[in-house]
């Protein structure tokens, strides 16, 4: 599938919209000069049918490698699951040079810059949201959005102007989006914490992908 070139709907690498995140970036540029240390662009194809929305880049993962979930513990499970469900080609090797290609899938984050303690504040989630709104509106073949965790879910609802009470976050839920050709799917975030505490197990995560693939007929 050809990749379109609408990359300007991702924020610029040196985005300055969130003062606390800019300050954190400056500290990280000092501490980790070899890291990417910028707003992490989405990964995948703009004509994808599936959009996966994560939380924010991990300090030593996507913030280092410049590709969502890449080098993050959460990425090990996410990319293994994409491979298992035929949504990627090639081998994930925790590096943007690994040659991995997503199939009809795009991965992004609710907040594109790494936040301190991995916790974006409400204002940052809101400030970054227009990029997600625009992204969804540009993805003309979209059939499914997978929200990883409550923050991704609520930011996506806000981007789509859906009230929280009409689509409460529930692991495994599928929500219809009025007037849209796509549905929202929820999963607990595939973070190290959630998998270590078994809030999210591999079968639970795979069940969500099975439901998505069933809906996409992939
Ligand atoms: N890495 C990302 O890019 N996003 C997440 O939500 C977690 C890790």
């Amino acid at each position: 599938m050809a990749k379109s070139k609408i990359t300007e709907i991702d924020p610029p690498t040196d985005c300055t919209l969130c003062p606390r995140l800019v300050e954190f970036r400056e500290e990280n540029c000092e501490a980790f000069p070899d890291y990417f240390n910028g707003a992490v662009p989405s990964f995948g194809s703009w004509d994808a049918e599936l959009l996966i929305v994560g939380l924010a880049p991990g300090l030593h993962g996507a913030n280092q490698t410049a590709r969502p979930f890449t080098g993050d513990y959460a990425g090990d499970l996410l990319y293994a699951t994409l491979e298992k469900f035929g949504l990627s080609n090639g081998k994930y090797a925790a590096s943007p040079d690994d040659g991995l290609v997503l199939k009809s899938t795009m991965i992004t984050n609710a907040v594109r810059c790494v936040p301190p303690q991995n916790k974006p504040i409400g204002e940052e989630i809101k400030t970054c949201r227009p990029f997600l709104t625009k992204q969804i509106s540009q993805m003309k073949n979209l059939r499914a959005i997978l929200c990883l965790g409550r923050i991704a879910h609520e930011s996506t609802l806000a981007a789509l102007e859906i009230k929280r009470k009409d689509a409460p976050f529930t692991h495994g839920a599928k929500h219809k989006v009025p007037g849209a050709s796509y549905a929202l799917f929820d999963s607990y975030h595939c973070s190290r914490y959630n998998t270590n505490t078994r809030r999210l197990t591999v079968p639970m995560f795979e069940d969500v992908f099975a439901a998505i693939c069933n809906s996409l007929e992939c």
Side-chain angles (χ1 to χ4, degrees):
M1 204 173 288
K3 276 191 192 171
S4 53
K5 297 214 174 1
I6 323 171
T7 45
E8 68 274 13
I9 75 171
D10 276 327
T13 302
D14 58 351
C15 184
T16 54
L17 293 175
C18 300
R20 191 182 74 117
L21 302 188
V22 172
E23 197 181 321
F24 191 49
R25 181 192 303 151
E26 283 163 2
E27 288 167 26
N28 291 329
C29 285
E30 291 275 316
F32 310 108
D34 297 337
Y35 283 17
F36 172 67
N37 293 317
V40 175
S42 305
F43 173 43
S45 162
W46 291 99
D47 38 26
E49 292 182 310
L50 170 62
L51 175 64
I52 299 174
V53 185
L55 170 60
L59 175 58
H60 303 296
N63 175 64
Q64 176 178 186
T65 62
R67 197 175 74 180
F69 286 88
T70 299
D72 284 299
Y73 181 90
D76 293 346
L77 176 54
L78 177 60
Y79 285 111
T81 309
L82 289 172
E83 181 182 358
K84 180 161 184 178
F85 283 83
L87 293 168
S88 64
N89 268 332
K91 276 279 159 210
Y92 169 72
S95 158
D97 303 331
D98 57 14
L100 187 77
V101 178
L102 301 184
K103 283 163 67 181
S104 204
T105 299
M106 181 169 246
I107 307 177
T108 194
N109 281 305
V111 173
R112 311 297 177 94
C113 294
V114 60
Q117 277 93 49
N118 218 18
K119 288 197 177 93
I121 57 175
E123 195 59 28
E124 292 156 358
I125 299 165
K126 193 172 165 194
T127 300
C128 211
R129 185 171 304 131
F131 297 109
L132 180 61
T133 308
K134 196 162 179 193
Q135 178 160 25
I136 293 171
S137 73
Q138 296 280 345
M139 294 184 71
K140 300 297 179 202
N141 296 333
L142 202 54
R143 306 258 316 276
I145 302 178
L146 169 60
C147 300
L148 297 177
R150 185 179 293 274
I151 290 179
H153 169 86
E154 291 181 350
S155 198
T156 303
L157 289 189
L160 298 173
E161 298 180 349
I162 297 172
K163 293 194 175 76
R164 287 183 193 175
K165 72 169 176 50
D166 292 335
F169 175 76
T170 312
H171 174 82
K174 175 181 179 181
H175 306 281
K176 288 194 176 136
V177 179
S181 56
Y182 49 82
L184 290 192
F185 293 80
D186 290 338
S187 172
Y188 292 131
H189 193 286
C190 48
S191 64
R192 184 199 300 258
Y193 179 81
N194 282 347
T195 50
N196 281 352
T197 57
R198 298 189 62 76
R199 183 179 180 83
L200 179 71
T201 62
V202 171
M204 283 167 72
F205 200 50
E206 290 183 352
D207 281 350
V208 172
F209 276 82
I212 291 170
C213 281
N214 193 30
S215 146
L216 298 182
E217 294 158 19
C218 58

